[in-house]
């Protein structure tokens, strides 16, 4: 009759850290009360703990079954790398979704909540849709992302996955990064510069859009909001967050210091994207606009540009229903700017964010220096030079 093998407490093999490396602690009883160890040479990481623990269980099994090698030759690797190789087959390699989860947890204390919820969750969503999560299928993953997304989006996702795998290599979770260099191989769209789609409106188109908002029977409420976007080149999130406390008493200066972003129908107020605060001097037209819309008895905490309901504007909803239009629950909502494009009143449709690009482009064309434009809109001069300064619509070769 066979008896089930059991492991007695005296046969327990321990795993411990010594001088930053992991080692195996053998039972004293086997060596007459003397303590003996087996060095592994492996760094103290969670994954290496799993590897060495697997080896400890194997030694315990030998002790329990009477097959223990007292010379320890069987358990001492020829080199540190050989131990890693012998233990590699004892664990199941992590998949891409598991690596991303660990990477997100690692980065969670280093980035803002909005970055986690917007960027990291977006990548997780793309990974979830992949036909395979195996790292050995990196080519299939790349091809799927390229086939099912725009080149810009595919490049961004692969860039994030590459960063994740670089971290995993340094953390000892994987041996090599199969996504290395893939993002760089994807070409950006011809009308895009590193993901920044710059297609500004002309000054005439800007005025046509503002007038269309002013005359709209439903959405005229947002006329001044749109005017402000064109007149300052600020980010939409900055305009949405603006309160009267951010504007001085005579409306000659605006201080941008907050932004509001919408995530899953929730609005989160946060700091600016590239700086703590930014002062914007108002010209006469902008000053006049702000003075004309400021209530006589206003509260400094009141929003400068509230929604129709008096709350913070949801930029996604504004774009979907007011600016461009969309179909929701079978009902079609016609956006103002899309209608202007369809009617031929402007050359073509452009997204609402082009209000920022329009301001920057027109400012440069009207003689403002690059460094001054950069300071006004919260970009670096390098970004302005790279994406705007050489993109004037009409180039004239001087006589020389």
């Amino acid at each position: 009759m066979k008896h089930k093998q059991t492991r007695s407490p005296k046969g327990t093999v321990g795993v411990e850290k010594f001088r930053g490396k992991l080692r195996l602690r053998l039972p004293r009883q086997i060596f007459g009360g003397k303590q003996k160890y087996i060095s592994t040479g492996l760094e103290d990481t969670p994954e290496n703990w799993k590897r060495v623990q697997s080896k400890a269980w194997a030694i315990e099994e030998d002790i329990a079954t009477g097959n223990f090698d007292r010379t320890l030759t069987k358990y001492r690797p020829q080199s540190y790398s050989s131990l890693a190789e012998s233990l590699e087959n004892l664990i199941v390699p992590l998949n891409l979704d598991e690596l991303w989860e660990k990477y997100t947890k690692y980065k969670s204390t280093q980035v803002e909540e909005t970055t986690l919820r917007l960027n990291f969750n977006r990548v997780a969503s793309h990974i979830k849709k992949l036909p395979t999560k195996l790292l050995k299928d990196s080519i299939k993953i790349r091809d799927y992302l390229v086939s099912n997304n725009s080149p810009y989006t595919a490049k961004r996702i692969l860039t994030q996955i590459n960063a994740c795998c670089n971290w995993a290599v340094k953390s000892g979770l994987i041996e090599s990064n199969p996504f290395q260099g893939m993002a760089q191989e994807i070409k950006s769209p011809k009308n895009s510069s590193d993901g920044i789609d710059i297609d500004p409106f002309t000054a005439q188109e800007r005025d046509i859009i503002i007038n269309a908002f002013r005359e709209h029977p439903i959405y005229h409420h947002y006329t001044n909001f749109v005017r402000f976007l064109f007149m300052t080149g600020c980010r939409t999130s900055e305009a949405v967050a603006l309160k009267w406390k951010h504007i001085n008493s005579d409306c000659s200066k605006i201080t941008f210091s907050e932004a509001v972003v919408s995530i899953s129908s929730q609005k989160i107020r946060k700091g600016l994207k590239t700086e703590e605060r930014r002062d914007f001097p108002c010209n006469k037209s902008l000053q006049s606009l702000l003075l004309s819309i400021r209530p006589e008895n206003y509260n400094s905490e009141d929003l400068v540009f509230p929604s129709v309901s008096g709350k913070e504007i949801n930029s996604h909803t504004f774009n979907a229903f007011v600016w461009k239009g969309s179909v929701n629950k079978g009902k079609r909502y016609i956006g103002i700017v899309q209608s202007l494009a369809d009617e031929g009143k402007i050359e073509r449709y452009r997204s609402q964010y082009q209000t920022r690009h329009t301001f920057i482009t027109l400012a440069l064309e009207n003689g403002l220096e690059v460094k001054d434009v950069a300071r006004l809109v919260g970009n670096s001069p390098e970004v302005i030079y790279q994406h705007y300064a050489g993109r004037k619509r009409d180039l004239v070769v001087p006589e020389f």
Side-chain angles (χ1 to χ4, degrees), residues 364 384-393 395:
L364 291 171
I384 301 297
Y385 272 119
Q386 181 180 358
H387 300 300
Y388 299 93
R391 301 174 64 95
K392 291 185 178 181
R393 292 183 200 86
L395 295 177

Side-chain angles (χ1 to χ4, degrees), residues 256-275:
F256 292 107
S257 60
E258 295 179 321
V260 170
V261 295
S262 300
I263 304 175
S264 301
S265 299
Q266 285 187 317
K267 298 185 184 71
I268 298 177
R269 186 172 284 265
K270 49 175 273 188
L272 300 185
K273 183 177 181 180
T274 57
E275 56 204 338

